[in-house]
Amino acid sequence: MRDKPQILGSRIVARSRLFQVEELDLRFANGTEVSYERLRGAGRGSVLVVPMLDADNLLLVREYAAGVHRYELGFPKGLVEPGESPLEAANREMMEEVGYGSRALEYLTSFTVAPGYLEFSTDVVLARELYEQRCPGDEPETIEVVPWRLSQAAELLMREDFTEARSIAALLLVKEKLNHGG
Amino acid sequence: MRDKPQILGSRIVARSRLFQVEELDLRFANGTEVSYERLRGAGRGSVLVVPMLDADNLLLVREYAAGVHRYELGFPKGLVEPGESPLEAANREMMEEVGYGSRALEYLTSFTVAPGYLEFSTDVVLARELYEQRCPGDEPETIEVVPWRLSQAAELLMREDFTEARSIAALLLVKEKLNHGG
């Protein structure tokens, strides 16, 4: 394994309410020096939850996605609040977005989003043994909950509004896990 | 389907060499008004290629990822250059990063990365019938090519340096496609 490039210097070159762009001066093991820009996160992780009503029925949400200016289908997700564990954050996000809590939360894996330029990562949580429990969220409009059958994953993957790589990867991981008796 | 929120105004609130942060003033269908920040892309798409040497052997690359400051395994990817189609970009990126061209490029799907705040999307291309052909790229160091067997996808998914949701989703989509005789 190669040594990581050495960070010779770094500075914030742009800043907004949500984002900080950091410029890194790097020296690679072969001596090449380059500057890269990356986005710094808020220092908090995020979670994505796959809520299963039973062995075949999962819950999706349809939400406005400002980056692409359209409604997108995907799994509930959100930032981990200070003091929360990722599993607690997953349970809260589910209560806020789909109106259920879970008695069987299971950490599956952690995704990076675009590791070349984003610091963010997302823990993926499988939620089973659901019970009805709604908490108020901070969304600008009520979130539409869309039930879907895991056995009809192929149809979901064909939809033009189910495009986010994290939701696609989580769907396929859960499908493999549950079909193999996990 | 709901109407999209109306964009009441927008402005660039931060800018660096690579990134532009745009603030959008939105009015949702229920009358709620909020401001969201999103990152604008360069107006160019990106591609991710799954290069298959034969029915079971695929090629990964190990590259430094500045966002998380470590080396990451994943599929070759890059921006579409002006005048290129996504398939042409996929072929060029393969020649630059793994030293192969392809006589059988197939568009599979398009991923968004984080549609809530990123405009970017990535076309996923399956590349078969490879031939040796290397083109110089613009990477700061030679890229390490890592062959992997599709039949050992489970081991790849367990690795701590194979975390990017786009690569995981592409791996699982190709595995499903090829196991079903696509």
Side-chain angles (χ1 to χ4, degrees):
Chain A
M1 181 70 83
R2 281 165 167 154
D3 287 337
K4 288 182 191 186
Q6 188 186 349
I7 299 177
L8 304 175
S10 70
R11 66 206 66 83
I12 301 298
V13 293
R15 190 192 302 265
S16 70
R17 190 164 48 87
L18 286 187
F19 300 103
Q20 287 189 64
V21 183
E22 182 180 46
E23 187 175 57
L24 288 183
D25 302 328
L26 297 169
R27 182 187 294 139
F28 283 79
N30 63 6
T32 304
E33 295 188 6
V34 289
S35 291
Y36 279 8
E37 286 186 2
R38 66 177 183 179
L39 288 162
R40 298 306 302 265
R44 295 190 281 158
S46 67
V47 290
L48 177 151
V49 201
V50 180
M52 303 287 307
L53 273 177
D54 57 44
D56 191 35
N57 285 283
L58 49 81
L59 298 174
L60 300 165
V61 292
R62 179 179 283 124
E63 264 191 299
Y64 174 69
V68 293
H69 188 47
R70 61 172 188 254
Y71 281 87
E72 278 274 313
L73 268 184
F75 290 110
K77 56 186 193 304
L79 289 177
V80 178
E81 298 290 344
E84 276 183 338
S85 71
L87 293 185
E88 287 166 345
N91 215 21
R92 177 185 47 74
E93 288 291 341
M94 259 200 321
M95 292 177 189
E96 291 175 4
E97 299 198 359
V98 299
Y100 285 93
S102 161
R103 295 192 182 87
L105 295 160
E106 182 181 355
Y107 168 83
L108 293 187
T109 189
S110 187
F111 293 151
T112 55
V113 182
Y117 60 87
L118 282 182
E119 194 181 19
F120 316 132
S121 68
T122 302
D123 285 347
V124 182
V125 176
L126 177 62
R128 291 185 277 192
E129 300 181 29
L130 304 190
Y131 56 92
E132 285 186 41
Q133 176 78 55
R134 180 165 292 284
C135 288
D138 57 356
E139 282 74 19
E141 62 183 357
T142 55
I143 292 181
E144 188 184 350
V145 180
V146 180
W148 205 280
R149 299 178 80 90
L150 193 55
S151 53
Q152 294 182 340
E155 289 76 6
L156 182 54
L157 292 168
M158 303 276 286
R159 289 185 62 100
E160 290 191 354
D161 59 355
F162 185 76
T163 67
E164 184 169 0
R166 283 179 290 183
S167 282
I168 293 169
L171 174 73
L172 292 169
L173 287 175
V174 166
K175 184 162 164 276
E176 287 219 335
K177 176 183 171 69
L178 298 186
N179 288 346
H180 291 79
Chain B
M1 181 71 83
R2 280 163 167 157
D3 287 338
K4 288 182 192 185
Q6 188 185 349
I7 299 177
L8 303 175
S10 70
R11 66 206 67 84
I12 301 297
V13 293
R15 190 193 302 265
S16 71
R17 190 163 48 85
L18 287 186
F19 299 103
Q20 287 190 63
V21 182
E22 183 179 46
E23 186 176 59
L24 288 183
D25 302 327
L26 298 169
R27 182 187 294 141
F28 283 79
N30 63 5
T32 304
E33 295 188 6
V34 288
S35 291
Y36 278 8
E37 287 186 1
R38 65 177 184 180
L39 287 162
R40 298 305 302 264
R44 295 190 280 158
S46 66
V47 290
L48 177 152
V49 202
V50 180
M52 302 286 308
L53 274 177
D54 57 43
D56 191 35
N57 286 282
L58 49 81
L59 298 174
L60 300 165
V61 292
R62 179 179 283 122
E63 264 190 299
Y64 174 69
V68 292
H69 188 48
R70 61 173 188 254
Y71 281 86
E72 277 274 315
L73 270 184
F75 290 110
K77 55 186 194 302
L79 289 176
V80 178
E81 298 289 345
E84 275 183 338
S85 71
L87 293 185
E88 288 166 346
N91 215 22
R92 176 184 47 73
E93 288 291 342
M94 258 201 320
M95 292 176 189
E96 291 175 5
E97 300 197 358
V98 300
Y100 286 93
S102 163
R103 296 193 181 87
L105 294 160
E106 182 182 354
Y107 168 83
L108 292 187
T109 189
S110 188
F111 292 151
T112 54
V113 182
Y117 60 87
L118 282 181
E119 193 181 19
F120 316 133
S121 68
T122 302
D123 286 346
V124 182
V125 175
L126 178 61
R128 291 185 277 193
E129 300 180 28
L130 304 190
Y131 56 93
E132 285 186 41
Q133 175 80 55
R134 180 164 294 283
C135 287
D138 57 357
E139 282 74 21
E141 62 183 357
T142 55
I143 292 180
E144 188 183 349
V145 179
V146 179
W148 205 279
R149 300 177 79 91
L150 193 55
S151 52
Q152 295 182 340
E155 288 77 5
L156 183 54
L157 292 168
M158 303 276 287
R159 288 184 63 100
E160 289 192 354
D161 59 354
F162 185 76
T163 66
E164 184 169 358
R166 284 179 290 183
S167 282
I168 292 169
L171 175 73
L172 292 170
L173 287 175
V174 166
K175 184 162 164 274
E176 286 220 335
K177 176 183 171 71
L178 298 185
N179 288 347
H180 291 79

